Amino acid sequence: MAPNVLDTDELNENDMLMEELPPEAALDGPPPNADDLLRRTLGTVREERHQAVRRRGRITAVSSTLVVAGVLAGGVWMGQGMGVGGTDDAVLQGTSADGAHMAVRVTDTEGGLRLVATVDGLRDGEACWLVVHTKDGRTFPAGSWRAHEGEVTLAGSAMVRAGDVAGVSVVNHDRQPLVTAG
């Protein structure tokens, strides 16, 4: 009787395994419309992927546009804060006996004074300092460079109000004025 009991156990196991499998597993071969089903599934996957790529592209375009707009707005804001193009600018000019010329645009800012100086006619290789002179006799260095042939334009700044400026000079290494605008 032992072989008969074993066969019954095997049959019970087979029945349990068959209950776990879906009915489609008992079919011989793929269903007759398997190619159509695969084609529809792949089409759906491709369409979803295409939509995701387009969505990402739109998000990137909007983000880029916002970044560019922010940079431009920041530039305009900073330019206004620095007094660029403001009506409070004063232009000082001067010429030395040696033929050096200087024009300085002076702009009052929140932190002091902003200068843009254009200098021409200095000796090539001369060490130069841009110095702001106040009405009460103080001096403030605003920039330095080494002169070369031709016109030089440089920007500088000093911790003084534009209304206190008496003049601006270019001085050499020995602090002798080369050209003064005032």
Side-chain angles (χ1 to χ4, degrees), residues 3-170:
N4 206 4
V5 172
L6 183 62
D7 289 335
T8 306
D9 288 340
E10 282 182 29
L11 286 175
N12 286 338
E13 277 184 42
N14 276 345
D15 286 345
M16 288 184 350
L17 287 175
M18 290 301 284
E19 286 176 9
E20 291 178 14
L21 293 176
E24 293 83 15
L27 295 176
D28 284 336
N33 62 351
D35 289 339
D36 293 338
L37 179 62
L38 178 61
R39 196 175 4 262
R40 283 194 315 256
T41 304
L42 290 176
T44 302
V45 169
R46 284 188 191 112
E47 180 60 28
E48 288 175 358
R49 182 168 186 252
H50 181 68
Q51 288 175 357
V53 168
R54 284 193 342 226
R55 194 175 318 120
R56 237 182 329 223
R58 278 188 241 129
I59 289 171
T60 301
V62 168
S63 299
S64 299
T65 302
L66 290 175
V67 167
V68 168
V71 167
L72 289 174
V76 168
W77 177 75
M78 285 186 68
Q80 289 173 347
M82 296 178 128
V84 175
T87 58
D88 296 337
D89 294 358
V91 177
L92 307 175
Q93 296 183 358
T95 302
S96 73
D98 296 333
H101 306 283
M102 178 169 65
V104 183
R105 187 179 77 202
V106 178
T107 306
D108 211 2
T109 66
E110 289 181 29
L113 180 73
R114 183 171 185 264
L115 306 166
V116 177
T118 303
V119 184
D120 187 22
L122 298 177
R123 192 177 70 193
D124 191 31
E126 183 86 55
C128 301
W129 282 266
L130 189 64
V131 179
V132 177
H133 304 282
T134 62
K135 293 175 182 172
D136 62 2
R138 297 178 296 155
T139 60
F140 294 88
S144 64
W145 76 102
R146 187 159 303 275
H148 58 80
E149 283 190 39
E151 186 177 273
V152 176
T153 301
L154 64 135
S157 60
M159 296 296 293
V160 64
R161 304 303 308 167
D164 295 335
V165 174
V168 179
S169 295
V170 174

